[in-house]
Amino acid sequence: MISPLSKLGLGSAQFGLDQTTLVRGRAPKAEARDILDIAARAQLPVLDVDGHSGVAEAALGEVLPRPTPFRISISTVRPDRGPDYVEAEARATLRRLGVEQADAILVPCAADLFGPHGMALWNRLRAMKDAGLTRKIGVSVFASDDPLGVARRFRPDIVQAPASLLDQRLLIDGTLAALAGLGIEVHLRSIFLNGLLFLPPDRAPTHLKAAASRISRARRLIAEGRSDPLQAALGFALSRVEAATVLVGVTSPAELSAVIAAASSPPPDLDWDEMAIDDPIALDPRAWAAA
């Protein structure tokens, strides 16, 4: 039987390496080292490196286990300064991380591919793949990006997309199944929807009040199923046959240990369909600040 941990990937964006203050009395680099050591011992296969400064990437490179046991994904910079700059920055990221080759280089925003520099960006990524700088190339999408249309036009190796127990849009409309059917590696992100499932309804911000009753219902169904939100969110995502990898973000070693324990448990027997919500603001964290 395949271990559910073989599909679990770790995102480093929440490690706090861009901070200079102590976290829980410890330096962020020490926290990151412990997180990575736990991930390595659990044999988590993927490390997604995104959203860091050059200084933070260098710090991450200092604490990565050696030899690095992870398949490392990195993201491109915006393409408006030209493909030479994109490649130079990708090479600099790998150098700071202390690895010679990425498993994947991802365009972090599908809109970048449809701008005036999009085709030059994609052609350079294909050239970088041909040169051995990366094994795969891909794109990160939102549900509103027409992920299937993006995939059919550019034929990426990987599509990173949001899906969660609350946000099932790309599953319900068949997008993720269609992507997998094209031979594309699907990576799920935002499986905790920025912690929305863990937030008690009476503490929901004003702009999420419209979805509060549906979130409360999902939490009640989870409790009635003798589970908890963490185990339910992971059980839902890891059970998706469309997904090759499920990415999680953590801020501490304790959080990662809890995630691994929950992921290693049998998935709860819950009616996933009953937990989906359709509130467009609640499902798009980009809209939260503007709401």
Side-chain angles (χ1 to χ4, degrees):
M1 182 177 179
I2 298 175
S3 166
L5 297 184
S6 66
K7 289 178 66 169
L8 194 62
L10 179 63
S12 66
Q14 299 176 30
F15 282 11
L17 288 168
D18 290 301
Q19 302 177 24
T20 56
T21 56
L22 297 179
V23 180
R24 292 172 291 275
R26 305 185 71 208
K29 192 186 296 185
E31 289 275 284
R33 177 182 287 110
D34 288 350
I35 290 171
L36 292 170
D37 285 347
I38 292 169
R41 289 197 300 272
Q43 298 182 316
L44 302 193
V46 173
L47 176 64
D48 184 67
V49 178
D50 185 26
H52 294 299
S53 66
V55 172
E57 287 175 353
L60 185 59
E62 290 178 23
V63 298
L64 272 173
R66 306 292 178 182
T68 302
F70 309 112
R71 302 197 304 269
I72 293 180
S73 299
I74 66 172
S75 295
T76 67
V77 295
R78 297 297 301 273
D80 51 292
R81 295 177 65 176
D84 288 348
Y85 183 72
V86 169
E87 180 172 346
E89 287 298 296
R91 290 182 180 275
T93 291
L94 294 178
R95 187 166 58 250
R96 288 188 286 262
L97 294 174
V99 296
E100 294 183 356
Q101 184 186 51
D103 182 67
I105 300 180
L106 304 177
V107 178
C109 178
D112 286 343
L113 291 176
F114 293 93
H117 308 284
M119 192 51 67
L121 167 64
W122 194 248
N123 286 339
R124 181 57 62 93
L125 287 179
R126 290 195 294 193
M128 291 159 65
K129 177 183 173 181
D130 290 342
L133 195 66
T134 181
R135 296 181 184 90
K136 305 164 192 168
I137 57 176
V139 58
S140 182
V141 300
F142 288 95
S144 58
D145 288 330
D146 182 18
L148 192 54
V150 172
R152 285 172 172 157
R153 178 170 178 180
F154 293 96
R155 296 289 173 168
D157 301 306
I158 293 175
V159 167
Q160 191 185 100
S164 67
L165 186 151
L166 297 177
D167 182 4
Q168 301 184 32
R169 291 172 293 175
L170 296 180
L171 291 157
I172 292 170
D173 68 9
T175 293
L176 297 186
L179 291 172
L182 291 173
I184 293 170
E185 197 174 308
V186 175
H187 291 198
L188 300 187
R189 70 167 195 280
S190 302
I191 70 159
F192 302 135
L193 195 57
N194 282 26
L196 189 57
L197 186 64
F198 308 131
L199 189 67
D202 59 356
R203 292 177 54 194
T206 302
H207 58 276
L208 299 180
K209 291 297 185 184
S213 62
R214 292 290 299 177
I215 298 168
S216 179
R217 172 180 167 78
R219 289 169 60 90
R220 185 178 72 253
L221 290 171
I222 290 168
E224 290 172 354
R226 299 184 179 182
S227 186
D228 62 69
L230 178 62
Q231 186 180 17
L234 285 162
F236 172 81
L238 290 168
S239 67
R240 305 317 307 182
V241 296
E242 304 91 341
T245 297
V246 173
L247 294 169
V248 297
V250 301
T251 63
S252 71
E255 285 186 4
L256 180 57
S257 294
V259 164
I260 290 171
S264 300
S265 303
D269 184 14
L270 298 170
D271 187 343
W272 305 124
D273 295 345
E274 286 297 311
M275 299 184 196
I277 63 176
D278 57 8
D279 185 288
I281 293 178
L283 295 179
D284 189 353
R286 297 174 300 174
W288 293 3

